[in-house]
Amino acid sequence: MQFVASEHQHRRLNPLNGQWVLVSPHRMQRPWSGQEEKPQLNVQPEFDPNNPLCPGVKRPNGIITERYESTYVFDNDFPALLEQVPSPPASDDPLFQAAPARGNCRVMCFHPKSNLTLPTMSATEIGAVIDEWIKQFNELSPKYAWVQIFENKGSTMGCSNPHPHCQIWSCSFLPTEPQLKQERLRAYYATHDRPMLGDYVERELQRRERIVIENPDWLVVVPYWATWPFETMLISRNNNKRINDLTNGQRHNLAFTIKELTTKYDNLFKCSFPYSMGWHGAPTGPEHAHASSAHWTLHAIYYPPLLRSATVRKFMVGFELLAMAQRDLTAEQAAQRLRQVDGTQHYLSK
């Protein structure tokens, strides 16, 4: 019997973290009688006087949110990281190790209107979001080793407020996922004298099996090693290392790329498509400011949970928690479906 990737189970390696994912395409035929989510529909009012992220509304700590007209950033009222905290004592017991953790957490509103999301905002408005991301990165990166810009969209992904926003957590340390990438990217560069994701972009452009969107500055693919059903990676094609490396033209194209990708997501199942996304680039701060970043390539990752429809999501449980990640739909099948979906007009505007 000849192996066919779209029919036969197999494992795929994620070279960015060294972990394998089990691909089981034959399971797409199984019936589903498990939990179904409510469709993620954006039915928010333009302004909600009870929503603390809306302009002019009082937040739980008594501070009134400014009457902003574009993006708006403030320190998180309930931060996971603080700057002025004592360090844990040193331990000589290998089983009970602790280390200092300091940082800053900010909330960034994308738009003053609560009934908008990135796919329903204009490219110009998304451009303002990108500009603010870079402004925040420029302010925080000289001090912190890692500045994590991320968006949780939808209650399915744990988003506690429907207003369009993201978060920016800055760390005095290199978190686990970036640390793994740092090590794997550096090792690849030491062996091949080329950045791993630069080579990966070239391979994907040659094979053309997993491409969702491409333009001169950005490539969006469903990664060969994707874990989530419609996971995508948005990769710089200009050897950018960090988000503040982007030129005005690259920012412009990024705004249109984000709008097209998120529109495709919403149009796929005719819902406000939930996801967690975030940016990864070369580490920052005093420790990394003068170190080589040649092995890095700026990229964003989108992790959406929906699998079969607007109501059926993937769960990371059982075997996946105890053994290894597993997916049914192949990366190639997911990319084909996303390619075929319209990314120019949102389903709500038709």
Side-chain angles (χ1 to χ4, degrees):
M1 185 186 302
Q2 185 174 3
F3 172 77
V4 179
S6 61
E7 298 178 9
H8 301 130
Q9 64 203 42
H10 57 284
R11 293 179 298 150
R12 297 188 182 189
L13 175 67
N14 181 344
L16 291 170
N17 60 20
Q19 297 179 3
W20 292 82
V21 57
L22 174 63
V23 183
S24 310
H26 55 282
R27 278 167 51 90
M28 285 302 293
Q29 305 301 319
R30 69 189 176 116
W32 177 261
S33 58
Q35 177 176 320
E36 296 196 10
E37 309 290 325
K38 292 181 179 179
Q40 301 283 305
L41 302 176
N42 192 8
V43 292
Q44 303 303 316
E46 183 175 303
F47 174 80
D48 181 354
N50 297 312
N51 189 324
L53 298 189
C54 283
V57 175
K58 183 183 290 186
R59 304 205 297 273
N61 61 359
I63 296 176
I64 295 177
T65 299
E66 292 182 16
R67 295 186 180 277
Y68 60 98
E69 297 181 352
S70 180
T71 59
Y72 175 63
V73 180
F74 62 93
D75 285 337
N76 196 316
D77 297 331
F78 305 98
L81 288 163
L82 297 168
E83 185 58 50
Q84 301 299 325
V85 292
S87 296
S91 171
D92 57 4
D93 191 324
L95 300 181
F96 299 98
Q97 292 290 309
R102 296 183 177 88
N104 174 277
C105 297
R106 295 179 179 179
V107 176
M108 175 180 154
C109 298
F110 293 157
H111 199 282
K113 295 182 179 180
S114 280
N115 61 342
L116 293 180
T117 58
L118 285 175
T120 57
M121 289 166 56
S122 70
T124 299
E125 291 168 332
I126 296 174
V129 170
I130 295 166
D131 289 344
E132 188 62 45
W133 282 342
I134 293 170
K135 177 183 176 182
Q136 294 296 314
F137 188 88
N138 283 335
E139 181 179 328
L140 295 162
S141 59
K143 181 177 181 180
Y144 295 105
W146 189 256
V147 179
Q148 184 60 68
I149 300 168
F150 67 96
E151 179 194 5
N152 294 327
K153 181 183 177 222
S155 58
T156 299
M157 300 309 292
C159 182
S160 60
N161 191 307
H163 193 88
H165 72 285
C166 71
Q167 298 187 56
I168 306 171
W169 290 18
S170 302
C171 311
S172 62
F173 53 92
L174 204 54
T176 303
E177 289 299 318
Q179 180 65 50
L180 284 172
K181 283 189 178 180
Q182 170 85 322
E183 295 168 359
R184 303 283 297 188
L185 292 173
R186 183 181 283 157
Y188 184 94
Y189 192 88
T191 300
H192 302 280
D193 200 30
R194 295 184 304 275
M196 179 194 293
L197 287 180
D199 281 357
Y200 180 63
V201 165
E202 289 185 9
R203 304 283 209 287
E204 288 288 16
L205 289 170
Q206 292 168 0
R207 298 188 177 215
R208 312 198 68 81
E209 295 177 296
R210 288 167 291 274
I211 295 174
V212 178
I213 299 170
E214 63 176 307
N215 59 54
D217 294 316
W218 302 96
L219 182 72
V220 179
V221 298
V222 176
Y224 176 75
W225 52 82
T227 297
W228 294 92
F230 293 96
E231 177 181 333
T232 56
M233 182 180 290
L234 193 167
I235 313 171
S236 167
R237 296 181 63 179
N238 295 283
N239 201 32
N240 299 119
K241 306 303 180 184
R242 302 179 177 96
I243 196 168
N244 61 346
D245 292 338
L246 300 180
T247 66
N248 288 336
Q250 291 162 3
R251 297 186 195 189
H252 177 80
N253 271 347
L254 177 58
F256 280 94
T257 304
I258 290 175
K259 181 169 178 61
E260 182 177 356
L261 175 59
T262 54
T263 298
K264 281 177 174 287
Y265 272 151
D266 278 14
N267 286 347
L268 182 64
F269 294 137
K270 300 294 189 295
C271 69
S272 186
F273 206 80
Y275 58 73
S276 283
M277 70 79 64
W279 286 97
H280 279 184
T284 56
E287 182 181 348
H288 304 282
H290 303 294
S292 174
S293 59
H295 51 291
W296 274 92
T297 302
L298 176 68
H299 59 285
I301 314 100
Y302 286 77
Y303 297 129
L306 297 185
L307 173 59
R308 297 169 179 240
S309 68
T311 61
V312 177
R313 60 163 296 179
K314 175 182 177 61
F315 290 90
M316 288 286 191
V317 296
F319 184 87
E320 290 158 301
L321 284 179
L322 299 166
M324 66 188 300
Q326 183 272 334
R327 65 178 289 129
D328 298 342
L329 189 72
T330 68
E332 297 74 31
Q333 291 167 335
Q336 182 179 18
R337 291 187 64 178
L338 287 172
R339 273 197 308 273
Q340 293 171 344
V341 173
D342 182 18
T344 60
Q345 186 177 12
H346 195 275
Y347 76 94
L348 290 177
S349 65
K350 294 181 180 179

